[in-house]
């Protein structure tokens, strides 16, 4: 079953992130390490994430992904060393919900890309995946990933 695609307006989402590069094969390990660093930093300043974790994909080179790995936070949260302040910018986004294993997410990307083209729109910037539940406690078939593309 194809997921529903739609266009939404999103507010700016201030974040703390780790910006890094890795191959698709290294991605699970790099994500886990980056999330743990950010959570440890937030804990050290008595703060919590303001929402679920995400990844911004700044390119499509599967052997050298340019990634922004982070958590949304409220305003005025201090960065530290490799943990930087960033944001998912406000704007119009095409979105779809991928439900199922991360290994099958390419189908949802293809579906969203096709839908955007049918709407005579075009992506303008980095794609983001927002992970709405925890793969450590959720069966693969129930994983929920919100995919968003900024639109021109």
């Amino acid at each position: 079953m194809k997921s529903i695609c739609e266009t939404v307006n999103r507010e700016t989402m201030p974040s703390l992130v780790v910006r890094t590069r890795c191959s698709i094969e290294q991605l699970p390990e790099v994500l886990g390490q980056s999330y743990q660093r950010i959570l440890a930093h937030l804990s050290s300043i008595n703060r919590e994430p303001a929402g679920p974790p995400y990844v911004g994909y700044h390119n499509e080179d599967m052997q050298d992904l340019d990634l922004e790995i982070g958590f949304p936070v409220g305003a005025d949260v201090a960065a530290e060393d490799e943990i930087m302040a960033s944001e998912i910018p406000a704007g119009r986004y095409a979105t779809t919900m991928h439900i199922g294993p991360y290994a099958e997410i390419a189908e949802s990307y293809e579906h969203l890309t096709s839908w955007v083209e049918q709407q005579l729109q075009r992506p303008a910037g980095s794609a983001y995946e927002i992970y709405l539940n925890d793969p450590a406690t959720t069966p693969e078939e129930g994983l929920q990933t919100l995919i968003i593309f900024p639109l021109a």
Side-chain angles (χ1 to χ4, degrees), residues 81-145:
D81 298 326
E82 78 275 357
I83 300 170
M84 304 177 298
S86 188
E87 66 181 25
I88 296 178
R92 284 183 346 107
Y93 286 81
T95 71
T96 194
M97 180 70 69
H98 172 75
I99 299 175
Y102 299 139
E104 297 174 6
I105 203 164
E107 182 179 326
S108 293
Y109 270 91
E110 291 168 9
H111 180 66
L112 182 58
T113 300
S114 175
W115 182 83
V116 166
E117 290 170 359
Q118 291 169 10
Q119 302 302 307
L120 303 177
Q121 301 284 326
R122 65 184 214 290
S126 302
Y128 295 91
E129 294 177 2
I130 301 171
Y131 306 107
L132 301 179
N133 48 17
D134 184 350
T137 59
T138 305
E140 278 194 326
E141 62 275 1
L143 292 172
Q144 298 176 348
T145 307

Side-chain angles (χ1 to χ4, degrees), residues 9-25:
N9 290 314
R10 293 181 55 93
E11 297 294 320
T12 300
M13 191 170 80
S15 305
L16 284 182
V17 302
V18 172
R19 184 83 185 251
T20 191
R21 299 179 91 92
C22 72
S23 69
I24 193 74
E25 293 81 17

Side-chain angles (χ1 to χ4, degrees), residues 49-81:
Y54 73 89
V55 174
Y57 292 89
H58 299 295
N59 69 358
E60 298 177 20
D61 181 346
M62 295 300 147
Q63 294 310 306
D64 186 29
L65 291 167
D66 181 2
L67 306 169
E68 186 171 293
I69 303 164
F71 283 96
V73 294
D76 302 323
V77 176
E80 177 184 82
D81 298 326

